Amino acid sequence: MAETLGTLEDLPEDYRAEMTAAGVAPLWPMMRNVLPHGAPQPVTQPGYWNYDAIRPLLHRAGELTPVEKAERRVLVLSDPGRGAGAMQATASIYLGLQLLLPGETAPAHVHTPSAVRIVVEGQGGYTVVDGEKLPMEEGDLVLTPGGEWHDHGHEGTEPVIWLDALDLPVFVYLEGSYATEGPLQAQRNRPDASQVEYLSSGLAPSRKLGVGTRRYPMMRYPWGRTEAALNEMAAWTDGGVAELDYVNPETGSDILPTMGFTAMRIAAGATDNPPLRSSSAAFHVIRGRGTATINGESLAFGPKDTFTAPVFSDITLTAEDDAYIVRIHDRPLQDKLGYYEERAK
Ligand code: GTQ
């Protein structure tokens, strides 16, 4: 059994002053802060963002701030545990809702963090990644991996809104976050790889000797196919919960280095009751209603809402009608660091 550790107050004033002057501090009074026993003590608190409440604020940003003055017109979803203005939703995941108006473009840039867009509403938006034009339809996942040039445009007639998920907090923590600006990219005149090379799951372009594959071969995951796959799986799965991981079609591994994405379908009346996971998560509701209980606190979710769960949360999700949810998590990062863990409830 561990002893209770000494405190700063146990130490004489003159010794404390001398340590401070020398630029050092005793570990033992701080030991449990940085190494709590048994499990982490997250700063992150569960968050819930009601889309209907945020939508008018985003439209107002469209009136108040031209895209040229914003570069990216985004309202950031701040972790309640870190308070107003926090540039993160969990320790590792940044979330923002981005508005693009008809005819607008958001200039090209490249940055060290990776992003995924989940399209919330509107027709005609697109993202160009490394010259490939990716149409943005409701529910689509569109990747802009770190180091890839990207810009956004809008050929439709109504505002387009999408959810940005970035591993920005990790890069900020590492003092590795920066961007480079550039001119809008020339677009290749052909459909994106999800409609050409990877139209059919299980098929990939034939290997050619000495020719490697792209690191990010497919940067758009159309929602229509995801939903069809979930429905088919649900029809043949007991328990009412079907889950599919988004994977790189060449390697079968996670689609980005730090962030993972899972599409879930919870049938009306069914409950998802996963083990405690060491990963943090954000849930974005594509369709459906239900109740999420996170560490004993319940919230009602509806279409287009977003909510978060800190590491090792006790999560249950119950659907009222068939619910389709994308779970964003940081398990890929934790796998790479060698500590991803699940614990039975
Ligand atoms: O669309 O490139 O929400 O660079 C934050 C940073 C979106 C983007 C964000 C970004 C972008």
Side-chain angles (χ1 to χ4, degrees):
M1 190 57 206
E3 300 280 332
T4 306
L5 299 177
T7 68
L8 210 49
E9 289 69 37
D10 294 340
L11 301 168
E13 283 287 353
D14 65 321
Y15 178 59
R16 287 163 62 181
E18 282 173 39
M19 282 192 294
T20 303
V24 297
L27 171 62
W28 57 98
M30 302 299 288
M31 187 76 176
R32 296 284 175 259
N33 296 10
V34 291
L35 287 170
H37 282 145
Q41 291 181 348
V43 172
T44 307
Q45 294 289 321
Y48 166 70
W49 293 270
N50 176 280
Y51 185 65
D52 294 335
I54 296 173
R55 190 175 186 269
L57 299 176
L58 205 45
H59 282 150
R60 186 116 191 263
E63 292 157 18
L64 294 170
T65 306
V67 73
E68 296 74 26
K69 285 279 181 196
E71 200 169 306
R72 299 292 190 263
R73 196 192 285 111
V74 174
L75 295 183
V76 178
L77 279 49
S78 295
D79 163 32
R82 292 178 169 83
M87 291 293 286
Q88 60 204 97
T90 76
S92 70
I93 301 168
Y94 158 103
L95 299 174
L97 281 163
Q98 181 161 176
L99 170 75
L100 204 59
L101 296 172
E104 287 185 337
T105 53
H109 67 186
V110 59
H111 41 68
T112 46
S114 291
V116 163
R117 332 290 168 169
I118 304 178
V119 184
V120 181
E121 68 166 298
Q123 305 269 322
Y126 63 87
T127 292
V128 185
V129 184
D130 192 24
E132 184 164 297
K133 183 177 179 179
L134 308 163
M136 299 175 88
E137 289 170 17
E138 227 177 274
D140 288 359
L141 252 68
V142 171
L143 270 54
T144 61
E148 302 271 347
W149 284 95
H150 57 281
D151 54 72
H152 309 297
H154 188 348
E155 301 168 318
T157 54
E158 299 295 324
V160 161
I161 296 174
W162 64 77
L163 181 73
D164 291 316
L166 281 83
D167 50 13
L168 183 66
V170 177
F171 284 77
V172 170
Y173 187 77
L174 295 173
E175 299 184 333
S177 187
Y178 70 97
T180 308
E181 312 294 318
L184 290 179
Q185 303 166 76
Q187 297 164 19
R188 282 193 289 278
N189 184 24
R190 53 166 291 177
D192 74 277
S194 74
Q195 304 175 67
V196 182
E197 288 88 348
Y198 304 97
L199 180 65
S200 189
S201 90
L203 293 175
S206 181
R207 271 66 170 163
K208 300 262 188 304
L209 183 66
V211 180
T213 54
R214 294 162 79 191
R215 183 161 177 220
Y216 299 104
M218 188 170 98
M219 290 191 270
R220 172 180 176 240
Y221 292 75
W223 175 253
R225 278 189 232 168
T226 307
E227 183 173 327
L230 286 172
N231 288 341
E232 201 56 36
M233 223 175 133
W236 300 95
T237 305
D238 294 332
V241 181
E243 267 188 308
L244 290 165
D245 285 339
Y246 289 87
V247 297
N248 179 316
E250 288 287 348
T251 64
S253 56
D254 300 305
I255 58 178
L256 288 171
T258 74
M259 288 188 293
F261 297 81
T262 299
M264 311 172 61
R265 180 189 188 278
I266 308 173
T271 295
D272 178 44
N273 190 16
L276 307 182
R277 301 177 175 116
S278 59
S279 49
S280 67
F283 298 84
H284 179 70
V285 184
I286 304 290
R287 231 179 37 243
R289 295 190 172 278
T291 304
T293 304
I294 298 165
N295 294 334
E297 296 277 328
S298 291
L299 62 92
F301 64 77
K304 306 182 191 299
D305 291 350
T306 303
F307 53 95
T308 50
V311 299
F312 287 106
S313 290
D314 181 349
I315 302 167
T316 57
L317 306 174
T318 301
E320 232 171 80
D321 43 17
D322 295 345
Y324 296 84
I325 298 173
V326 175
R327 180 168 66 95
I328 305 162
H329 58 80
D330 52 5
R331 195 259 305 137
L333 174 63
Q334 298 192 357
D335 271 345
K336 290 186 176 74
L337 296 177
Y339 78 95
Y340 178 70
E341 179 192 351
E342 295 183 352
R343 295 185 189 175
K345 283 183 188 168

